[in-house]
Amino acid sequence: MNGADRLCDVLLANDIDVCFANPGTSEMHFVAALDRKPKMRCVLGLFEGVVTGAADGYGRMADKPAATLLHLGPGLANGLANLHNARRARTPMLNVVGDHATYHLQHDAPLTSDIASLARPMCHWYAETKTPEDIASTTAQAYVAAMTLPGVAVMTLPGDAAWGDLAPAPVERTPLPALPHVSADAIRDAVAALRSGKRVAMLMTGKALRTEGLTIAGRIAARTGLRLLTPQSINRIEHGIGRVPVDKVPYPVDQGVEHLADIDVLLMLGTQVPVAFFAYPGKPGRLIRDDCEVQTLARPGDDLVHALQWIADEVGAKEPPRLVQPGGLADALQPGALTADSVGYAVAKLLPEGAIVCDEAVSSGRKFFKLSENSAPHTYLQLTGGAIGVGIPMAAGAAVACPDRKVIGLQADGSGMYTVQGLWTQARENLDVVTVVFANRSYAILHGEMRNVGVNQFGRNAARMLNLDEPFLDWVTMARGMGVEGGRAETMEDFEKLLRAALGRRGPFLIEAVI
Amino acid sequence: MNGADRLCDVLLANDIDVCFANPGTSEMHFVAALDRKPKMRCVLGLFEGVVTGAADGYGRMADKPAATLLHLGPGLANGLANLHNARRARTPMLNVVGDHATYHLQHDAPLTSDIASLARPMCHWYAETKTPEDIASTTAQAYVAAMTLPGVAVMTLPGDAAWGDLAPAPVERTPLPALPHVSADAIRDAVAALRSGKRVAMLMTGKALRTEGLTIAGRIAARTGLRLLTPQSINRIEHGIGRVPVDKVPYPVDQGVEHLADIDVLLMLGTQVPVAFFAYPGKPGRLIRDDCEVQTLARPGDDLVHALQWIADEVGAKEPPRLVQPGGLADALQPGALTADSVGYAVAKLLPEGAIVCDEAVSSGRKFFKLSENSAPHTYLQLTGGAIGVGIPMAAGAAVACPDRKVIGLQADGSGMYTVQGLWTQARENLDVVTVVFANRSYAILHGEMRNVGVNQFGRNAARMLNLDEPFLDWVTMARGMGVEGGRAETMEDFEKLLRAALGRRGPFLIEAVI
């Protein structure tokens, strides 16, 4: 056996059995080793942004890392934007970056580059493998990092480490340390705040947004008046009827400030202080009041659910939480031309129970999260890091992780073009994904931002940079070219018919909603 | 005026009047400033790899940089693979990366990342702007770096530097230093080698491969027996009938070694020692003999043509060079099924005079360069850094630089999918590009590499990672979805008809050659 075989063994021993891949010459021994492991499912992306975006969606839904296989520095570079999103989401992910044989680096061959410098900004953990003997421990450490930090681990695999001979040896599952509990001091401070009469909110993420965490948080809220918040961008939440409702911090700065204006104490549960996505002249960077007290209740790798239960016990929160009740989407779909809001309403209303929503609708989707509180119970994933182009791959990865659940991608058109190649992976793997493209045919968010900087009339250059017209993108045709069926809707009647049909079948389907 | 206006003024004063762009919120003041400059041509790419690849093609043909506009660290990351190629090509390029306002970085907003760490591996020159007052000098330095190193310059543009007020001031053209001449010692050593009776070869790049440089080199060759070589990957060469023929170092290691085996002295004219693209067990890294003497005649930023003329004068090379004579492509096109070679032959035979060939045919194009020596006079550009996905954007950029010349893209299908969005830019700008897709429906190069590592029978995983099938990519349909007309050819009769039609019209056209 060789180093690449050992790498596969350590992955499989830790139940990492999906590898999203785009290999190159330096990874041929790894490909050959994967080929000897039928338990490993290798999923090809036709661009590395598809590979890493799919691994993000997979990791969020599977609660364990997928492996990725990336080809040297440039292959990693192509995947970095979606690693950035995964880093912000703290998605468990184990990226294997092939590199030249160690002794070949001195020659500065054409594909040589500084992998460490490229990787470090976009990952939580990085290590370079040097020899075949290193591989087992490096891979195990990468797995532990991915699971416990939690987050994005990157390791290199030089050609000579991959092809170097090793004696066969048994590989055990790598033990994971228990998640750290938060300190008694942190709990005491939080409980004191909750009893102080001050207006307290908790900004939640990670496991706190699953059903168990939300239920405990909802009980604390029912007992103490605690306000439950999520960041502007949510890595994953259990959402819809029967779940505990939470408020999402709005994206526009002014709305964000207003939303958080009455908070005296903010408890950070695995999150950071909410800030403006971008700076604007004369507007604040932090969205909370300057005199708002910030308590770091838990850090991202801590046991968030344990912290919630501890607080619930301290405050005697035994009441049932307030849950979302049915009936919030009673209005009939309105016939006629489509708008972003009417499409969002139709999706929220028709969303099947158990669906996974992958939201990269950007400016077209601002109202969806609140609306879908009233949808059938579902899981909601969102673009987290602001690096557009995660939607189509994330939906693919979520569908690989959960083959029995319907995945609904809410996709802005400008963002969708970044990793449009992901549609082919949806077709190749026959993934059960319905992609709804909000075809506003512009970078609509930037039209608003131009108005924010005082430009209301566009000249030729601004129009040429901010509009996706001349020619329009024909999404249905592009999708067909990659093996995904679809249809275009210009009215609600069209859209409802297409969406019902797509929900009633299995396999990938794309609806271009012209808004 | 503000900092962004000043940036535009310095660009325009230096004749940088094309900006390939994909803007985001942090660049709105730059977009607004560009919008006030009708002399600037802004070209939108729907993904940053398109932006940087187009700037590469543009810079190679225009001999001056295009500007690019990239959105923060993730936007830069998306463009890095093609910056890597441009770095290897030493293409003049001036990349402007928008960043958060300087005072906003402390908040670690979602799109914050370490731009310096991301940029440095893929550029020759990097600087961070801090204030509006910095902008003029930083931009001027970036321009000088792009022109003289020559190569890839990256500068940041923080939001507050872009929007900060400046007093209007005149902007002068930035003076460029003369290119350094090579030393008399280097010339003396080269001439001594040429007179030594040893077998001498010169590995050439950059301006040495233009008509003037090639002609002088050809005269030296006629006088001394000097052998003329180019690297495996060529940034730009004037090629075809009536030009001086040069040999390209072959890609496969064994062929490369054989090709260079009889060289006693290798003169490096702006190049580095030829090495294996990848390491293979038991094969050499350097392709020249261990006892081959290497002389660095000139470095990349030196005046290469001056060095050639100096040598020509020293050796008294007054003979006319040997030129490629007409008649080398006399064979008729063979009817029947297409192969990579027959498609390449047809393109070489029908290539119109003055065409620009952008070669990312990879494994399908290995024979094309030698064949096209016998084509009508043309310019040839190639993927230089091995980071696939430059072809479609490079063709777009070359067409922007040279609107009166036909651009022919030779495009491998796997590589083409990396930046397929570039077809939309070709349609949007109505660029005169014919893209020939070599649809072998696999990563064919990796099939060969798998055989090199001893795997002849693929299992499911290898097949799933190396074949672009189930479903096939329908290139004609994908192109139509982005506004580019096209046709599919399965026989030479189809192909010839489509190619002649495409050459006889203006505007983008795609031919899917099923091989």
Side-chain angles (χ1 to χ4, degrees):
Chain A
M1 73 181 303
N2 63 25
D5 290 311
R6 181 66 49 85
L7 173 50
C8 292
D9 287 343
V10 176
L11 294 176
L12 286 169
N14 289 303
D15 203 23
I16 301 176
D17 54 6
V18 172
C19 179
F20 296 98
N22 189 286
T25 297
S26 42
E27 295 83 53
M28 283 300 98
H29 291 84
F30 188 24
V31 169
L34 289 164
D35 204 33
R36 291 189 282 270
K37 302 288 180 191
K39 283 187 186 165
M40 186 69 78
R41 178 176 178 185
C42 294
V43 178
L44 177 61
L46 298 185
F47 176 71
E48 290 87 349
V50 176
V51 169
T52 52
D56 185 8
Y58 179 92
R60 294 195 206 186
M61 291 312 303
D63 284 330
K64 64 178 183 178
T68 72
L69 192 181
L70 304 169
H71 181 47
L72 298 139
L76 168 64
N78 285 331
L80 282 177
N82 278 336
L83 282 195
H84 169 88
N85 287 322
R87 179 174 68 100
R88 293 295 184 185
R90 288 202 164 266
T91 305
M93 198 187 297
L94 198 165
N95 301 282
V96 180
V97 181
D99 197 5
H100 286 305
T102 52
Y103 61 81
H104 199 64
L105 290 172
Q106 62 182 316
H107 297 306
D108 193 28
L111 277 164
T112 308
S113 60
D114 183 344
I115 294 176
S117 186
L118 294 168
R120 286 207 167 101
M122 304 316 204
C123 70
H124 295 100
W125 185 94
Y126 176 79
E128 288 172 359
T129 313
K130 300 290 184 197
T131 70
E133 290 75 18
D134 285 350
I135 286 179
S137 69
T138 305
T139 311
Q141 288 170 49
Y143 167 67
V144 172
M147 291 295 284
T148 57
L149 289 178
V152 176
V154 175
M155 61 179 277
T156 64
L157 179 66
D160 50 345
W163 74 55
D165 285 335
L166 283 176
V171 173
E172 304 287 325
R173 190 179 184 97
T174 308
L176 290 174
L179 297 183
H181 290 174
V182 303
S183 71
D185 285 355
I187 297 294
R188 185 200 59 215
D189 292 348
V191 170
L194 290 168
R195 288 175 173 155
S196 67
K198 293 177 182 167
R199 292 163 301 184
V200 185
M202 182 161 59
L203 192 65
M204 303 158 67
T205 188
K207 292 281 171 70
L209 298 179
R210 308 294 175 84
T211 303
E212 183 187 6
L214 282 171
T215 303
I216 302 170
R219 292 212 314 271
I220 300 170
R223 174 75 175 174
T224 66
L226 173 69
R227 193 168 150 205
L228 305 181
L229 293 172
T230 74
Q232 289 158 336
S233 301
I234 296 177
N235 46 8
R236 172 176 169 181
I237 189 170
E238 299 305 315
H239 200 51
I241 294 166
R243 266 80 185 256
V244 174
V246 290
D247 271 349
K248 187 156 84 160
V249 176
Y251 175 90
V253 176
D254 298 338
Q255 291 179 35
V257 168
E258 189 184 333
H259 201 73
L260 305 178
D262 66 354
I263 300 173
D264 302 316
V265 182
L266 184 64
L267 309 179
M268 314 296 295
L269 193 74
T271 48
Q272 58 192 75
V273 172
V275 298
F277 226 85
F278 294 103
Y280 301 86
K283 294 193 180 186
R286 282 161 54 118
L287 302 179
I288 52 174
R289 291 199 326 260
D290 286 344
D291 65 341
C292 174
E293 181 192 343
V294 175
Q295 290 187 14
T296 299
L297 172 57
R299 294 193 163 74
D302 291 340
D303 188 335
L304 306 183
V305 174
H306 181 269
L308 286 169
Q309 185 60 55
W310 193 349
I311 293 175
D313 292 344
E314 291 289 328
V315 301
K318 308 218 179 292
E319 297 83 349
R322 182 173 76 84
L323 300 178
V324 178
Q325 301 301 320
L329 298 169
D331 294 347
L333 301 183
Q334 293 298 314
L338 294 171
T339 65
D341 288 350
S342 71
V343 170
Y345 185 83
V347 173
K349 188 175 172 76
L350 299 179
L351 199 69
E353 184 164 348
I356 300 166
V357 174
C358 293
D359 182 0
E360 191 180 43
V362 193
S363 64
S364 295
R366 293 271 165 77
K367 295 184 182 168
F368 182 81
F369 181 74
K370 187 70 192 160
L371 267 179
S372 60
E373 195 174 278
N374 301 291
S375 297
H378 65 280
T379 302
Y380 174 89
L381 316 179
Q382 190 183 7
L383 165 65
T384 46
I388 58 175
V390 78
I392 292 171
M394 181 163 69
V400 169
C402 303
D404 298 329
R405 300 176 64 176
K406 197 83 181 176
V407 178
I408 313 286
L410 303 180
Q411 187 57 60
D413 53 355
S415 306
M417 282 305 291
Y418 269 53
T419 46
V420 66
Q421 308 91 338
L423 291 173
W424 180 84
T425 298
Q426 293 183 8
R428 158 67 82 89
E429 302 290 327
N430 194 30
L431 301 175
D432 199 13
V433 178
V434 180
T435 302
V436 177
V437 176
F438 290 79
N440 59 22
R441 298 171 172 174
S442 71
Y443 292 125
I445 193 170
L446 300 182
H447 281 251
E449 300 289 8
M450 282 293 274
R451 287 190 291 273
N452 283 344
V453 306
V455 180
N456 291 303
Q457 288 277 348
F458 290 179
R460 175 176 170 83
N461 274 337
R464 296 288 278 185
M465 286 191 280
L466 304 185
N467 293 333
L468 308 180
D469 56 2
E470 303 177 34
F472 293 133
L473 293 159
D474 179 340
W475 277 91
V476 176
T477 299
M478 286 190 291
R480 189 187 322 129
M482 289 181 264
V484 172
E485 289 182 64
R488 180 175 300 108
E490 305 200 346
T491 65
M492 184 50 78
E493 295 89 324
D494 297 342
F495 183 76
E496 183 179 355
K497 191 188 295 181
L498 285 167
L499 182 57
R500 287 188 187 278
L503 294 175
R505 66 200 282 281
R506 274 192 63 86
F509 195 86
L510 180 141
I511 304 172
E512 179 181 343
V514 180
I515 58 174
Chain B
M1 72 183 301
N2 63 25
D5 291 311
R6 181 66 50 84
L7 173 50
C8 293
D9 286 345
V10 176
L11 294 175
L12 285 170
N14 289 305
D15 203 24
I16 302 176
D17 54 5
V18 172
C19 179
F20 295 98
N22 189 286
T25 297
S26 42
E27 294 84 52
M28 284 299 99
H29 292 84
F30 188 24
V31 170
L34 290 164
D35 204 31
R36 292 188 282 270
K37 304 287 181 191
K39 283 187 187 165
M40 186 70 77
R41 177 176 180 185
C42 294
V43 178
L44 177 61
L46 298 185
F47 176 72
E48 289 87 351
V50 176
V51 169
T52 53
D56 186 7
Y58 179 92
R60 294 195 206 187
M61 291 310 303
D63 283 331
K64 63 178 184 178
T68 72
L69 192 182
L70 304 169
H71 181 46
L72 298 141
L76 168 65
N78 285 332
L80 283 176
N82 278 336
L83 282 195
H84 168 88
N85 288 321
R87 180 173 69 99
R88 293 295 185 187
R90 289 204 164 262
T91 305
M93 197 187 297
L94 198 165
N95 300 281
V96 180
V97 181
D99 197 5
H100 286 305
T102 52
Y103 61 82
H104 198 64
L105 290 172
Q106 62 182 316
H107 296 306
D108 192 30
L111 277 164
T112 308
S113 60
D114 183 344
I115 293 175
S117 186
L118 294 168
R120 286 206 168 102
M122 303 318 204
C123 71
H124 295 99
W125 185 93
Y126 175 79
E128 288 173 358
T129 314
K130 301 289 185 196
T131 69
E133 290 75 18
D134 286 350
I135 286 178
S137 68
T138 304
T139 310
Q141 290 170 47
Y143 167 67
V144 173
M147 291 296 284
T148 58
L149 286 177
V152 176
V154 175
M155 62 179 277
T156 63
L157 179 66
D160 49 345
W163 74 55
D165 285 334
L166 284 176
V171 174
E172 305 285 325
R173 189 178 185 99
T174 307
L176 289 175
L179 296 184
H181 290 174
V182 302
S183 71
D185 286 354
I187 297 292
R188 187 200 57 216
D189 291 348
V191 170
L194 290 169
R195 289 174 173 157
S196 67
K198 292 177 182 167
R199 294 163 298 184
V200 185
M202 181 161 57
L203 191 65
M204 304 158 68
T205 187
K207 292 281 170 70
L209 299 179
R210 307 294 174 83
T211 303
E212 182 186 7
L214 282 171
T215 303
I216 304 169
R219 291 213 314 271
I220 300 169
R223 175 76 177 174
T224 66
L226 173 69
R227 191 167 153 208
L228 305 181
L229 293 172
T230 74
Q232 290 159 337
S233 301
I234 296 177
N235 45 9
R236 173 177 170 180
I237 190 169
E238 300 305 315
H239 199 51
I241 295 167
R243 266 81 185 256
V244 174
V246 290
D247 272 348
K248 188 156 84 159
V249 176
Y251 176 92
V253 177
D254 298 337
Q255 291 178 35
V257 168
E258 189 184 333
H259 201 73
L260 306 177
D262 68 355
I263 299 173
D264 301 317
V265 182
L266 184 63
L267 308 180
M268 314 297 295
L269 193 73
T271 48
Q272 57 191 73
V273 173
V275 298
F277 226 85
F278 294 102
Y280 300 86
K283 295 193 179 183
R286 283 162 53 119
L287 301 180
I288 53 175
R289 291 199 325 261
D290 286 345
D291 65 342
C292 176
E293 180 191 345
V294 175
Q295 290 186 14
T296 300
L297 173 56
R299 294 194 165 73
D302 292 340
D303 188 335
L304 306 183
V305 175
H306 180 270
L308 286 169
Q309 186 59 56
W310 193 349
I311 292 176
D313 293 344
E314 292 288 330
V315 301
K318 307 214 179 294
E319 297 84 348
R322 182 173 77 84
L323 300 179
V324 178
Q325 302 302 319
L329 297 170
D331 294 346
L333 302 182
Q334 294 298 315
L338 294 171
T339 64
D341 288 350
S342 70
V343 170
Y345 185 83
V347 173
K349 188 173 173 76
L350 300 179
L351 199 68
E353 183 165 347
I356 300 166
V357 174
C358 293
D359 182 359
E360 191 180 44
V362 192
S363 63
S364 295
R366 292 270 165 77
K367 296 184 182 169
F368 182 81
F369 181 73
K370 186 71 189 160
L371 267 180
S372 60
E373 194 173 280
N374 300 293
S375 298
H378 65 279
T379 303
Y380 173 89
L381 316 179
Q382 191 182 8
L383 165 65
T384 47
I388 57 175
V390 78
I392 293 171
M394 182 163 70
V400 169
C402 303
D404 298 329
R405 299 177 63 176
K406 197 81 181 177
V407 178
I408 313 285
L410 302 180
Q411 188 56 60
D413 53 356
S415 306
M417 282 305 291
Y418 269 54
T419 47
V420 66
Q421 308 92 336
L423 292 172
W424 180 84
T425 298
Q426 293 185 6
R428 158 66 86 87
E429 302 290 328
N430 194 31
L431 301 175
D432 198 13
V433 178
V434 179
T435 302
V436 176
V437 176
F438 290 80
N440 59 22
R441 298 171 172 174
S442 69
Y443 291 125
I445 193 170
L446 300 183
H447 280 252
E449 300 289 7
M450 281 292 274
R451 287 189 292 272
N452 283 344
V453 306
V455 180
N456 291 303
Q457 288 277 349
F458 291 178
R460 176 176 169 83
N461 274 337
R464 297 288 278 185
M465 286 191 280
L466 305 184
N467 294 334
L468 308 180
D469 56 2
E470 303 177 34
F472 292 133
L473 294 158
D474 179 341
W475 278 90
V476 176
T477 299
M478 286 191 290
R480 188 186 322 129
M482 287 181 267
V484 171
E485 289 182 64
R488 180 175 300 109
E490 305 200 348
T491 66
M492 183 50 78
E493 296 88 323
D494 296 343
F495 183 77
E496 182 178 357
K497 190 188 296 181
L498 284 167
L499 183 57
R500 287 188 186 277
L503 294 175
R505 66 199 283 282
R506 274 192 64 85
F509 195 85
L510 181 142
I511 304 172
E512 179 181 342
V514 180
I515 60 174

